[in-house]
Amino acid sequence: MSFIEGPSRAEVSLLPPCIDDYVPANALVRVVDAFVDSLDLSELGFDRTVAAATGRPGFRPGDLLRLYIWGYLNQVRSSRMLERACVRDLEALWLMRRLAPDYRTIAAFRHDNPEAIVRTSAAFIQFCREQGLLGGRMVALDGTKIRAVASPKNIAGADRLARDIAHTEGEIAYYLDRLDVMDEQVAKGFDDQPAHREAFSQAVAALKRRKGRLTKRQTELAERDEKVLVFGEPEAKPMGYAHAPKLPAYNLQSVVDVESGLIVHHDVCNDANDSHLLHPMAVGAKEVLETDELWIGVEKGPR
């Protein structure tokens, strides 16, 4: 028996001659294309929906939106990976009609149209309703903690800041005392300490800068009237499960239609307690589904 042999790389007919034959008729990418075609991009708030009369032609926002949604469905979030997909993936080739925007163009589109993309998500729910894909009678609500970018070292409360400031002041006093001793030795004729003196002076300057940063954080904490603050990312809060270490995070709440499994409503907050979020999430889901009665299932928490 022989091994399975692939065709020669020199074959001329590698792909179908028609680009529409690249993907099957029931491929999900065709739904993405039909959905974007149904949108009024100007009404949703996308930039540059009308081509400029002069200058270099740009990409249609609809094409970039198609690529963004396709990447989301296929877990391709990176702008550079989306750029590569436009020349590697058959679905992306079909969807973009062989257009290949660079990663800067893709990143700029996402950066410049955040609110329009959110409105597109709401329009997708309406699109699914019109196609009869949503049950709209029973939903499930759950939350998950999303790790923030800030380091756990940036979590501090009033007590910790007071301790850090006191410790820093103690270190400053130590180095200043060492400098005074050096001055006394120099006065007595011992002048072989210039290297140490320079190092100690630099240490005092660094500690004073650190004290200034801590004092600024202390003032910011008092102004915000918070017990604990994540400095550098104040919207995040320390969150965790049970006795696990508390890390800077956000609480993502999602409402899923039970019949279709589609997310119909979501929100991001910094409240670690899910029980406080049941009512606002339920009201938001009812508004999205445009219904007066809705059954909501939630996970039973520990007693």
Side-chain angles (χ1 to χ4, degrees):
M1 296 180 64
S2 62
F3 294 105
I4 299 175
E5 297 289 345
S8 171
R9 293 191 180 95
E11 279 192 22
V12 176
S13 180
L14 178 62
L15 294 174
C18 178
I19 194 172
D20 196 53
D21 295 334
Y22 285 9
V23 296
N26 61 347
L28 183 59
V29 66
R30 294 184 181 272
V31 178
V32 174
D33 187 59
F35 167 62
V36 175
D37 274 342
S38 69
L39 299 176
D40 186 336
L41 299 183
S42 298
E43 184 177 344
L44 291 174
F46 283 96
D47 294 336
R48 301 178 181 177
T49 55
V50 179
T54 58
R56 184 176 183 273
F59 291 94
R60 289 186 177 89
D63 289 331
L64 295 173
L65 179 60
R66 286 179 173 87
L67 182 62
Y68 173 80
I69 297 174
W70 177 86
Y72 179 84
L73 292 174
N74 290 276
Q75 300 181 2
V76 181
R77 308 294 179 85
S78 166
S79 298
R80 293 179 184 270
M81 293 300 295
L82 288 172
E83 177 188 16
R84 294 171 189 167
C86 290
V87 295
R88 292 180 179 179
D89 193 285
L90 291 182
E91 286 192 349
L93 283 167
W94 178 89
L95 186 65
M96 296 296 290
R97 298 184 301 279
R98 295 179 179 173
L99 294 175
D102 63 28
Y103 72 91
R104 294 186 183 88
T105 302
I106 299 170
F109 171 76
R110 292 194 283 198
H111 178 270
D112 297 340
N113 299 280
E115 296 179 358
I117 291 175
V118 171
R119 297 189 190 101
T120 302
S121 301
F124 177 72
I125 300 300
Q126 183 63 29
F127 175 80
C128 292
R129 289 185 60 199
E130 293 173 353
Q131 302 302 318
L133 300 177
L134 294 179
R137 294 185 298 273
M138 180 178 290
V139 297
L141 169 63
D142 199 5
T144 186
K145 305 298 189 297
I146 299 179
R147 180 77 165 81
V149 177
S151 168
K153 296 179 181 179
N154 288 340
I155 301 175
D159 294 339
R160 176 180 167 181
L161 287 173
R163 289 196 305 268
D164 289 347
I165 290 175
H167 179 73
T168 303
E169 289 175 343
E171 288 186 309
I172 292 174
Y174 168 80
Y175 282 111
L176 290 176
D177 181 65
R178 295 297 91 194
L179 288 172
D180 290 340
V181 171
M182 289 182 183
D183 289 340
E184 292 177 0
Q185 291 177 345
V186 171
K188 294 178 181 179
F190 299 99
D191 56 353
D192 57 345
Q193 306 289 339
H196 293 80
R197 183 179 182 85
E198 179 66 23
F200 284 7
S201 299
Q202 292 177 359
V204 170
L207 288 169
K208 287 183 176 180
R209 289 194 297 269
R210 181 188 178 195
K211 180 184 176 182
R213 290 194 299 268
L214 292 172
T215 304
K216 183 178 178 181
R217 289 186 172 188
Q218 198 175 44
T219 303
E220 184 179 351
L221 184 66
E223 291 175 350
R224 288 179 172 270
D225 194 22
E226 299 274 0
K227 295 182 179 179
V228 178
L229 196 62
V230 180
F231 294 96
E233 198 169 352
E235 296 83 6
K237 296 294 181 184
M239 300 183 191
Y241 297 98
H243 299 290
K246 302 296 189 292
L247 301 175
Y250 301 94
N251 190 346
L252 172 62
Q253 296 287 309
S254 301
V255 180
V256 179
D257 180 67
V258 172
E259 185 173 329
S260 63
L262 294 172
I263 298 175
V264 297
H265 181 54
H266 71 278
D267 197 8
V268 180
C269 62
N270 55 15
D271 192 339
N273 193 337
D274 289 352
S275 61
H276 300 161
L277 305 173
L278 175 58
H279 180 262
M281 293 303 298
V283 172
K286 288 175 63 177
E287 292 177 353
V288 171
L289 295 172
E290 298 180 0
T291 181
D292 295 328
E293 184 175 338
L294 189 65
W295 289 87
I296 301 179
V298 295
E299 181 183 7
K300 184 178 180 182
R303 292 185 177 181

